Amino acid sequence: MTDTPTDHPVIVWFRRDLRLSDNPALSEAVKTGKPVIAVYVMETDVARELGGASKWWLHHSLTKLSHALDAIGSKLILRRGKAGEILDDIINQSAADMVMWNRRYAGDARERDAAIKSTLKDRDLTVKSYRANLLSEPWSVETKSGGYYKVFTPYWRAAKDFIDVSDPIPAPTSVNHYGGGIKTDTLDDWTLLPTKPDWGEKLAPHWSIGPEGAHKALESFLDGPVENYADDRNRPDYEDGTSRLSPHLANGEISPREIWHACKDNEYTSRKFLTEIGWREFSYVLLFHHPDLASANYKDDFDKFPWESNQDALKAWQHGKTGYPFVDAGMRQLWQTGWQHNRVRMVTASFLIKHLLIDWREGEKWFHDTLVDADPASNAASWQWVAGSGADASPYFRIFNPFTQGEKFDPNGDYVRKYVPEIAKLPKKYIHRPWEAPQNVLDYAGVKLGKTYPKPIVEHKPARERALAAYKESRS
């Protein structure tokens, strides 16, 4: 008796697409009628490991994906190692003749995928890849001269002719599961959760991980907050001023097409919010054309910049002890929740780069390790934007004032009081500038500058002048 085409299983290789809905690789695999082998590989031959916060999120997201697959009659296989070798092992065990995955765009990942695809095709296997986590491919939106856009506004204007806003693909309700015995690891084998210390416990209350949590967050955001998003997105003291969808997008628990589809009934109100989806797309264009975006200046004239090496200042910034309350609140929010408000990200990044003259790459590394929404494109592109070294970047000489930014966007000091409780009793007049408070006010608030709360590690005006002088020097 000879095998029929459907006797050979199809492998679906999950990556940053940890969902069942709007998952083209999974959908197309199910359509074949073949038995499906769903696999996630913790790759060991990567250029850059996931950060600690991302590993914590991944553990819980894979748990949700495993349960979702169980519910439709499938099973998630977990394996650690080199993806090519693991796929080869599963193919040899199962006689699979098809492999499907959704595309990724970081340089080393693209290279691995291309090598694996070539090797499998040489063995007469069918290999198919799909666009799942972007609205358009990074290479599809070209300028009239055939290049790529380096400025966001014209890019987004042109991209709207290329983005895919068709209806999302429904999640499969059942799967023809491959019943053969395929070896699998357990999540506990991978030790993704932090233990010494277990700072994951403090992150957990702030998030509902998985596709269900993603769609609930989107629904909640579109049920009201989106109406005032253009203004409220700048207010870190507003709990619902932003969608907080970024970690769900970064891990592929929801697709940008699902978000766009949910907004289509009120596209005018949602346009500013959807523009932020556009920024994410633009960041992937930059990453595609500059695979070293997280490690090399996009503009190489910044290679001459006279950065300073100051470990004490770097640690003060990382731990929220700079003496500038708005900056410190942001860095503590990051450590306590795995996330930082976007307005505050610009201010904290500017402070590190321009007030402290510390290389933007040090900040990018810290965010990569501590953000639950650490994204290879968005994180690097955003840090380069603030530094002035990136595409369509804010000019270097735009230096955020860390206390006037707080007074403008946290006018009552609620954000600072939440994350910097040691100065919470200061009146709003001084909450962003405690060094200006009279002694009797400090005494009443229980604040001892230099003891219970640090004095500013640098003075704003001299630091600004130093940054401008350094920039001028790098251009001479």
Side-chain angles (χ1 to χ4, degrees):
M1 180 178 177
T2 59
D3 292 339
T4 62
T6 54
D7 290 329
H8 295 277
V10 52
I11 297 172
V12 179
W13 179 15
F14 283 87
R15 289 97 77 83
R16 282 188 179 244
D17 50 1
L18 306 180
R19 62 183 186 270
L20 303 189
S21 62
D22 205 34
N23 189 319
L26 176 63
S27 177
E28 292 302 313
V30 171
K31 284 181 183 178
T32 67
K34 291 171 169 287
V36 172
I37 302 173
V39 60
Y40 182 91
V41 180
M42 177 57 70
E43 295 174 88
T44 56
D45 55 337
V46 295
R48 190 180 201 186
E49 281 194 21
L50 292 174
S54 294
K55 288 180 179 178
W56 171 82
W57 188 286
L58 177 63
H59 176 98
H60 295 292
S61 190
L62 286 173
T63 299
K64 293 296 178 69
L65 177 63
S66 180
H67 293 163
L69 286 167
D70 287 345
I72 60 172
S74 188
K75 177 181 174 63
L76 181 63
I77 303 297
L78 301 173
R79 297 287 291 274
R80 183 186 183 97
K82 295 180 179 180
E85 294 177 359
I86 287 169
L87 291 174
D88 190 54
D89 180 59
I90 294 174
I91 290 165
N92 289 337
Q93 287 186 60
S94 66
D97 62 358
M98 295 184 73
V99 182
M100 296 184 177
W101 65 65
N102 295 314
R103 285 189 281 275
R104 49 191 180 177
Y105 303 95
D108 68 310
R110 292 204 329 264
E111 291 173 2
R112 291 197 305 278
D113 289 355
I116 291 170
K117 181 178 283 191
S118 177
T119 299
L120 294 178
K121 284 188 171 182
D122 286 346
R123 295 172 54 189
D124 293 327
L125 273 78
T126 299
V127 185
K128 295 184 178 181
S129 61
Y130 303 89
R131 176 187 47 75
N133 294 324
L134 294 175
L135 294 171
S136 63
E137 300 289 16
W139 56 83
S140 65
V141 185
E142 294 185 335
T143 62
K144 292 180 180 179
S145 61
Y148 69 96
Y149 285 91
K150 301 173 181 66
V151 177
F152 172 71
T153 300
Y155 161 78
W156 190 229
R157 190 182 305 122
K160 290 177 182 177
D161 292 331
F162 293 87
I163 60 177
D164 177 10
V165 293
S166 59
D167 289 349
I169 304 167
T173 56
S174 63
V175 170
N176 180 9
H177 173 59
Y178 175 75
I182 302 292
K183 176 187 173 184
T184 182
D185 299 339
T186 69
L187 276 174
D188 289 340
D189 294 333
W190 292 356
T191 61
L192 297 173
L193 298 177
T195 56
K196 296 180 181 180
D198 182 8
W199 45 263
E201 282 189 359
K202 67 181 183 338
L203 302 182
H206 302 281
W207 303 103
S208 178
I209 298 175
E212 183 178 354
H215 285 276
K216 283 183 177 178
L218 176 60
E219 182 181 347
S220 177
F221 177 67
L222 296 181
D223 197 33
V226 71
E227 300 284 341
N228 300 307
Y229 176 76
D231 295 321
D232 291 356
R233 71 193 186 100
N234 283 309
R235 294 289 299 270
D237 54 335
Y238 290 175
E239 289 288 338
D240 58 359
T242 62
S243 71
R244 294 171 69 88
L245 283 167
S246 53
H248 300 291
L249 269 171
N251 290 277
E253 296 173 347
I254 192 170
S255 75
R257 187 164 60 174
E258 288 178 303
I259 293 173
W260 196 283
H261 181 76
C263 294
K264 71 177 185 179
D265 291 337
N266 201 349
E267 192 171 339
Y268 179 79
T269 300
S270 304
R271 71 190 187 284
K272 185 61 181 177
F273 172 59
L274 293 176
T275 299
E276 297 304 313
I277 301 296
W279 269 102
R280 179 176 180 270
E281 300 273 319
F282 182 59
S283 296
Y284 271 92
V285 171
L286 300 179
L287 179 65
F288 178 79
H289 290 283
H290 293 267
D292 57 358
L293 195 64
S295 58
N297 292 311
Y298 178 89
K299 297 175 182 175
D300 58 14
D301 55 354
F302 269 79
D303 292 347
K304 300 176 182 178
F305 196 89
W307 301 111
E308 294 195 357
S309 179
N310 188 331
Q311 287 300 309
D312 289 340
L314 176 61
K315 287 180 180 178
W317 176 81
Q318 290 172 338
H319 298 149
K321 295 182 178 180
T322 69
Y324 286 89
F326 198 54
V327 172
D328 292 343
M331 298 310 295
R332 296 185 195 188
Q333 180 187 34
L334 172 60
W335 185 246
Q336 292 173 30
T337 71
W339 183 84
Q340 191 181 98
H341 188 278
N342 188 61
R343 165 59 58 174
V344 186
R345 293 189 198 202
M346 292 188 284
V347 176
T348 58
S350 177
F351 188 86
L352 180 76
I353 295 166
K354 298 169 186 181
H355 281 73
L356 302 181
L357 284 189
I358 292 176
D359 195 325
W360 63 265
R361 282 161 280 223
E362 292 292 340
E364 194 278 342
K365 287 176 189 174
W366 185 251
F367 275 30
H368 172 79
D369 192 42
T370 56
L371 281 172
V372 291
D373 64 5
D375 177 281
S378 298
N379 192 37
S382 297
W383 272 95
Q384 294 228 43
W385 182 87
V386 176
S389 61
D392 194 18
S394 170
Y396 183 86
F397 49 81
R398 183 189 182 194
I399 300 173
F400 286 94
N401 183 311
F403 46 87
T404 59
Q405 284 283 307
E407 289 164 347
K408 182 176 182 180
F409 297 112
D410 181 29
N412 296 315
D414 294 339
Y415 178 71
V416 164
R417 289 189 178 89
K418 181 174 182 178
Y419 291 106
V420 192
E422 61 266 42
I423 62 171
K425 292 183 179 179
L426 283 175
K428 70 177 184 179
K429 180 179 179 180
Y430 300 111
I431 191 71
H432 293 290
R433 311 185 196 205
W435 58 89
E436 292 184 1
Q439 189 60 48
N440 65 315
V441 173
L442 292 172
D443 291 342
Y444 179 79
V447 177
K448 294 182 179 180
L449 293 179
K451 293 184 178 180
T452 61
Y453 183 69
K455 296 178 180 178
I457 59 173
V458 292
E459 292 185 41
H460 169 65
K461 186 176 179 181
R464 184 179 186 279
E465 292 171 350
R466 183 180 64 156
L468 294 175
Y471 178 70
K472 185 176 181 181
E473 177 189 339
S474 72
R475 293 295 185 272
S476 63

